[in-house]
Amino acid sequence: MISVFGSANMDLVAYVSQAPRRGETVTGHRFRTVPGGKGANQAIAAARAGGEVAFLGAVGDDGFGAEMRVTLADAGVDVRGLRQVPGPSGIAHIVVDDSGGNSIIVVPGANGTVTGPSGSDLAAIASSQALLLQLELPMEAVAGAAQAARVSAVHVYLTPAPAQPLPAELLEAVTTIVPNEHEAAAITGVSTPDGALDALLELVPEAVITLGSEGALYGARSGERHRVPAVKVNAVDTTAAGDTFVGALAVARSEGMAVPRALEFASAAAALSVQREGASTSMPSRRDIEDTLT
């Protein structure tokens, strides 16, 4: 089983020809609401990629929370660990331009109430093969979940987004860190992907830097290195590409795929996701991923 301890947000997505600059008002051509949040996105991506997935997090007692619970369950995610708390659910305001680029503002809502893993969360983590973490929950909660996984020898994947300082108690429990190139540079202070990879491996045993249209770069302290090209596609919306990559990667590695094949599997999943709009609505099925790889 793969456990995901993380955020669940309702994405409020505005589509525009060009994103507004500071002080500028632009007219959008479409708006939609899509269940998302980096935690929920990764859980859905992993479930659709063929994994057995449990989601651990919180939503509010509003309509957004109810919709997110249904969306996760419909994707095949176990939502028994999704707690409901008084107040609003988390939201993300997303602007997507015609080139597929995006900018995002996250308001934590119920996610901010998760100050640590509950007893049932700890039990789910201990019985998992892998734990997926992101940084849209309070840092003390993320570090607590990571340390719980470490005690049970569970493989911990960390997506360090939104980028922020990473405490030692979190890093010492991480097995694989999966930043994009901007996050890798922010964490390490090194601007080149290869240099940032070397710096990350001083912090954790494994690192994968996602490079958008340039693919992904993998390294391990053992000396193993791989660079996997991206599948060439016309991007429509890149909102959940990184989350799709991580969810699919965790499934592939949990099934015992060799690292190069697992990276190809994850890259194919991410490429499929950017051809569709939205976050949770863009994630491909296992069959779609395998068809892309054949």
Side-chain angles (χ1 to χ4, degrees):
M1 183 178 74
I2 295 170
S3 288
V4 182
F5 183 78
S7 58
N9 295 322
M10 183 60 72
D11 292 346
L12 312 177
V13 190
Y15 295 89
V16 298
S17 297
Q18 186 172 343
R21 297 183 295 271
R22 183 174 181 177
E24 181 183 20
T25 299
V26 301
T27 299
H29 48 74
R30 197 153 56 90
F31 174 81
R32 65 193 302 217
T33 59
V34 184
K38 297 194 73 63
N41 288 344
Q42 291 182 7
I44 292 170
R48 290 189 177 158
E52 180 185 353
V53 182
F55 183 73
L56 314 172
V59 292
D61 56 2
D62 54 7
F64 286 164
E67 185 175 349
M68 285 184 283
R69 184 180 299 275
V70 170
T71 298
L72 284 158
D74 285 350
V77 177
D78 184 340
V79 294
R80 288 176 292 177
L82 178 58
R83 66 193 80 166
Q84 183 185 85
V85 299
S89 298
I91 64 99
H93 180 271
I94 303 173
V95 176
V96 180
D97 63 35
D98 284 351
S99 67
N102 66 78
S103 58
I104 305 173
I105 300 171
V106 174
V107 182
N111 298 302
T113 70
V114 182
T115 56
S118 66
S120 59
D121 292 341
L122 294 173
I125 291 168
S127 65
S128 300
Q129 289 177 274
L131 173 67
L132 275 56
L133 299 171
Q134 324 77 35
L135 301 180
E136 289 183 342
L137 297 182
M139 184 62 78
E140 64 267 28
V142 178
Q147 286 290 344
R150 183 188 187 194
V151 168
S152 297
V154 174
H155 192 121
V156 177
Y157 293 87
L158 173 65
T159 302
Q164 55 191 285
L166 303 176
E169 61 267 28
L170 173 58
L171 286 171
E172 67 186 12
V174 171
T175 313
T176 306
I177 193 167
V178 192
N180 63 29
E181 56 189 315
H182 307 295
E183 293 153 0
I187 293 166
T188 65
V190 180
S191 59
T192 64
D194 287 285
L197 186 67
D198 290 334
L200 288 171
L201 292 176
E202 296 179 7
L203 304 174
V204 296
E206 285 188 323
V208 182
I209 301 177
T210 58
L211 304 172
S213 62
E214 298 302 312
L217 182 64
Y218 168 90
R221 285 178 179 168
S222 65
E224 185 177 1
R225 293 284 179 111
H226 303 284
R227 184 183 289 269
V228 176
V231 179
K232 300 302 180 184
V233 297
N234 293 319
V236 172
D237 183 354
T238 62
T239 301
D243 296 328
T244 303
F245 182 96
V246 174
L249 178 67
V251 171
R253 295 288 302 277
S254 295
E255 291 179 358
M257 286 189 201
V259 170
R261 185 62 172 175
L263 293 169
E264 291 173 355
F265 183 88
S267 294
L272 287 166
S273 76
V274 303
Q275 297 177 73
R276 305 167 183 171
E277 294 179 344
S280 61
T281 53
S282 72
M283 291 155 182
S285 68
R286 178 66 174 247
R287 176 174 292 182
D288 287 343
I289 298 169
E290 291 178 341
D291 287 348
T292 299
L293 291 171
T294 56

